[in-house]
Amino acid sequence: MFRFRQLLLLAALAAVLVHAAPSAAQTIIDEWQSVKAPPAPALKAVTLDPKSTAMLVMDFVNQTCNNEKRPRCVASIPKIEKLQAAARAQGVMLISTTVPPVPIADTLPAVAPKGDEPVVVVVALVDKFMLGNKDTGLEKMLRDKGVTTVVIVGTAANGAVLYTSSAAALRGRNVVVPVDGMSGDNTYVEQSVAYILTSAPGGIAAKITLTSAEMIKFAN
């Protein structure tokens, strides 16, 4: 009987110690399969002043925007083309980008720059404001035109769109991102970027508006 009571006491003590001990920290890798996506951010209609707005059309080149590598980019082109035409008709500043060694001539014809529209050629694949540790000239282009709002479309969503949008917001500009104008290799990439842009700290999220191409209007 005494031996039995000892065993019960030992068992009770072990149970207390187990519950009292801190549980092993879980990482996102451990919890990957159980993570539930948060509610989708709401898309908002916007009406923009053409005189203080610029549209960045980023990296829609044949090498990356094709049906083999990134079919979601190809699918986004008609809506981008329509938005680009509306912006052009209202005199909105249009800026196209590419990445060396890809020439701007390799931009898909539907969304290629026309006439004397400016082109920013950068080595960096992501932040179009920076060429390594040097300024690309994009900031000066926007500042000289009095641009306070940038509409950003591009590929990849988790590259040029994410980092250039964040950089523009950190520079104090309002950023408008149509979700049907940002493409990635898969839907998870686009979902994660939409979430990050609308939840980023440091004042970034407060400067960014998610919308769709058809919800963007330019004031006459």
Side-chain angles (χ1 to χ4, degrees):
M1 178 62 71
F2 178 73
R3 178 64 174 169
F4 180 69
R5 288 179 178 175
Q6 279 187 316
L7 291 174
L8 285 177
L9 287 172
L10 289 173
L13 178 61
V16 169
L17 291 175
V18 166
H19 288 291
S23 58
Q26 296 294 304
T27 70
I28 187 58
I29 302 303
D30 298 321
E31 300 177 50
W32 198 275
Q33 296 300 323
S34 63
V35 173
K36 182 180 179 181
L43 301 184
K44 300 177 182 178
V46 293
T47 299
L48 306 175
D49 177 4
K51 295 179 181 178
S52 60
T53 300
M55 180 175 174
L56 273 60
V57 184
M58 303 187 298
D59 305 349
F60 292 106
V61 294
N62 294 313
Q63 289 82 345
T64 54
C65 191
N66 57 62
N67 282 315
E68 290 71 34
K69 185 168 186 178
R70 198 170 291 155
R72 294 183 65 79
C73 180
V74 176
S76 73
I77 294 300
K79 290 188 176 183
I80 294 169
E81 181 183 13
K82 185 176 180 180
L83 179 61
Q84 193 179 34
R88 188 177 280 124
Q90 293 297 324
V92 172
M93 183 183 193
L94 288 166
I95 299 174
S96 298
T97 77
T98 185
V99 288
V102 181
I104 197 65
D106 284 1
T107 302
L108 274 62
V111 293
K114 295 182 179 181
D116 60 354
E117 290 171 359
V119 175
V120 178
V121 181
V122 297
V123 172
L125 296 175
V126 289
D127 179 0
K128 299 304 180 180
F129 287 92
M130 298 302 296
L131 173 59
N133 61 352
K134 297 179 181 179
D135 196 307
T136 63
L138 175 57
E139 172 62 28
K140 185 176 187 303
M141 286 183 193
L142 300 176
R143 186 171 60 248
D144 288 351
K145 288 288 186 178
V147 170
T148 57
T149 300
V150 289
V151 177
I152 290 183
V153 296
T155 192
N158 56 334
V161 174
L162 175 61
Y163 291 95
T164 305
S165 295
S166 300
L170 287 172
R171 284 169 167 79
R173 289 186 174 83
N174 298 314
V175 181
V176 177
V177 181
V179 292
D180 45 1
M182 63 173 204
S183 52
D185 292 344
N186 54 63
T187 54
Y188 185 74
V189 164
E190 295 173 23
Q191 181 187 48
S192 63
V193 170
Y195 178 74
I196 291 170
L197 289 177
T198 54
S199 63
I204 293 175
K207 302 292 288 183
I208 295 177
T209 300
L210 281 192
T211 186
S212 68
E214 65 182 10
M215 295 173 74
I216 298 174
K217 306 298 180 188
F218 298 102
N220 295 323

